[in-house]
Amino acid sequence: MEDEAVETPEEQLAKQHRKEKKEMQAEIQRMKNAVPKNDKKKRKQLTEDIAKLEADLNQKHEEELRRLTSDTKVDGVLNGVEGMKVGDGEQPRVTKAQKRRDKKAAQEKERESRIADAEVENLQGARHQEGLILAQKLAQKQLQIREISSDGHCLYRAVEDQLAQRSKPQSLMSVKELRSQTAEHMRNHAGDFLPFLTNPNTGDMYTTDEFEKYCSDVEHTAAWGGQLELRALTQVLQLPIDVVQSSSAAIKIGEEFDGEPITLVYMRHAYGLGEHYNSVERLKDPANADGS
C-alpha cells in the first residue's frame, strides 16, 4: 500500500481558502434567512453587508497567498542548501514506482504553485481591485455592473442599454443614431467643444478642418468617447449622466436637466487597451440569488 501523499503548503492553503469560502456562503445564507423578504431597508443593508463580507475575505486570502509565496521562496533556498549535505552511508535504492510517485508529486506541487501565483496576481491586479471597489459603490445604490462589449463603441452601447432598460420606445436610440446626433450637436455648438481639442503634435487648438475631422470620426468610426462626447450626449438626450468610477466620486454631467439620470461605469483597467464604459442594472436580490 502506497504512503498517503503529504500536502504541500500551497495545497493546505487552497483547502483552507475553500473551507472559509464555504463557511462564508453558509453565513451569507444564514444572514439571508434572518431578513424578512418584505423589509426593503434591511434587505438593502444586507446587500451592503454581503459585499463587505466577500471583499474582506478576498483581502484576507490575498494577504495569506502573498505571505505564502514569500515564505516558499525562502524555504526553497534553505532546502537547496540542506540538500547539498552529504549523508552517512549508502543511499537506499529508489524503486521505479517511487520515482513515478516522486515525479507525480513534483508535478502536482508545481501545478499548485502556479495556481497560487496566479491567484496572487489576480487578487493583487488593478482590474480585480477596481472591480471590488466598483461593486461596493454600486451595491450601495442597489446596482450592479452590466457588461458592455469592448469595441470602441462602449460609451454609446452603454447609453443605448440604459435607454433600453427604461422600456420607453420613444426613448430608444441605436448606437448609430447616438453617434450621429452627438457629432451633429458638436458641429452646431463648436464654441462649446473646439477650445478643448488640441493637436497632439503642436499643442495648438484644432483648426476648423481638424474639428470637422474629429466630428466625422465620432459619427462614422469606432472612435472612443470621452468627456466631450458625454457632455454632448446630455444635450442630445436632455438627461443627466452619472459616471461611477473607482478612484473618486461619481462625475455628474448635465445636472441642469431633470429626469432619471443615465448611470454609466467608467473602468480604467477593464481591458488590455485600458479605459472602458459599462452600463448598470438593478442589483439581483441577494435573498433570492439561490433560487429560494
Side-chain angles (χ1 to χ4, degrees):
M1 182 175 178
E2 294 185 2
D3 294 336
E4 184 177 350
V6 178
E7 290 185 335
T8 65
E10 291 86 356
E11 292 172 324
Q12 293 173 352
L13 185 59
K15 181 182 290 186
Q16 176 190 325
H17 285 181
R18 288 194 294 270
K19 179 174 180 289
E20 290 176 352
K21 286 179 180 178
K22 187 175 180 180
E23 290 173 347
M24 181 186 70
Q25 291 303 321
E27 174 64 14
I28 289 174
Q29 187 60 50
R30 184 195 65 75
M31 293 165 63
K32 292 177 182 178
N33 295 337
V35 176
K37 292 187 177 182
N38 59 352
D39 192 330
K40 293 184 178 180
K41 183 177 180 180
K42 287 186 178 180
R43 278 155 58 109
K44 179 180 179 182
Q45 183 61 46
L46 171 65
T47 300
E48 296 177 10
D49 291 344
I50 289 175
K52 184 177 186 304
L53 193 65
E54 292 175 334
D56 288 346
L57 185 62
N58 281 335
Q59 184 177 1
K60 174 178 178 292
H61 287 178
E62 172 191 345
E63 293 172 353
E64 291 173 346
L65 284 167
R66 190 188 304 117
R67 285 199 300 270
L68 177 63
T69 302
S70 176
D71 292 344
T72 300
K73 291 178 180 177
V74 174
D75 290 343
V77 173
L78 294 177
N79 289 338
V81 173
E82 188 69 26
M84 294 169 63
K85 295 180 180 179
V86 179
D88 296 331
E90 287 188 25
Q91 295 294 325
R93 182 173 176 271
V94 180
T95 65
K96 290 183 178 179
Q98 183 60 46
K99 288 181 179 179
R100 286 196 298 271
R101 289 195 294 270
D102 290 345
K103 183 179 180 181
K104 183 178 179 181
Q107 291 174 336
E108 182 63 20
K109 184 173 182 179
E110 182 183 358
R111 187 183 73 87
E112 290 290 343
S113 179
R114 288 199 304 269
I115 292 174
D117 289 344
E119 288 187 12
V120 170
E121 183 178 353
N122 180 53
L123 289 170
Q124 291 178 332
R127 178 180 178 181
H128 180 80
Q129 295 300 323
E130 182 179 49
L132 283 178
I133 295 171
L134 287 169
Q136 291 181 52
K137 284 189 173 186
L138 292 172
Q140 294 173 1
K141 302 174 180 289
Q142 292 292 290
L143 297 172
Q144 64 184 24
I145 289 176
R146 184 176 172 90
E147 294 286 347
I148 297 298
S149 60
S150 177
D151 58 2
H153 300 292
C154 59
L155 170 60
Y156 304 95
R157 291 196 190 284
V159 172
E160 178 189 41
D161 180 75
Q162 284 283 287
L163 295 175
Q165 288 185 49
R166 301 181 182 214
S167 301
K168 294 179 181 179
Q170 68 272 22
S171 300
L172 297 182
M173 293 178 67
S174 68
V175 169
K176 184 177 180 180
E177 290 170 327
L178 287 167
R179 276 191 172 278
S180 177
Q181 293 198 30
T182 297
E184 192 61 23
H185 179 84
M186 294 177 74
R187 289 188 184 102
N188 293 335
H189 301 82
D192 295 334
F193 299 96
L194 184 54
F196 299 97
L197 292 168
T198 56
N199 186 302
N201 297 320
T202 65
D204 296 333
M205 189 173 72
Y206 268 13
T207 64
T208 302
D209 289 342
E210 287 174 327
F211 181 65
E212 174 52 37
K213 172 65 167 57
Y214 184 94
C215 293
S216 179
D217 287 345
V218 169
E219 182 172 8
H220 299 295
T221 74
W224 192 84
Q227 287 278 354
L228 295 181
E229 288 76 16
L230 281 166
R231 167 57 63 182
L233 279 165
T234 63
Q235 300 288 334
V236 168
L237 300 172
Q238 298 285 288
L239 286 171
I241 296 179
D242 290 348
V243 183
V244 180
Q245 51 189 347
S246 65
S247 58
S248 59
I251 297 174
K252 298 183 181 296
I253 304 170
E255 291 184 278
E256 65 271 26
F257 299 114
D258 295 326
E260 180 185 356
I262 286 174
T263 302
L264 307 177
V265 177
Y266 171 74
M267 304 187 73
R268 186 178 297 276
H269 306 289
Y271 295 96
L273 294 176
E275 300 158 304
H276 178 69
Y277 286 99
N278 276 319
S279 181
V280 299
E281 60 187 354
R282 299 304 302 173
L283 185 66
K284 290 182 173 59
D285 187 352
N288 293 324
D290 57 358
S292 60

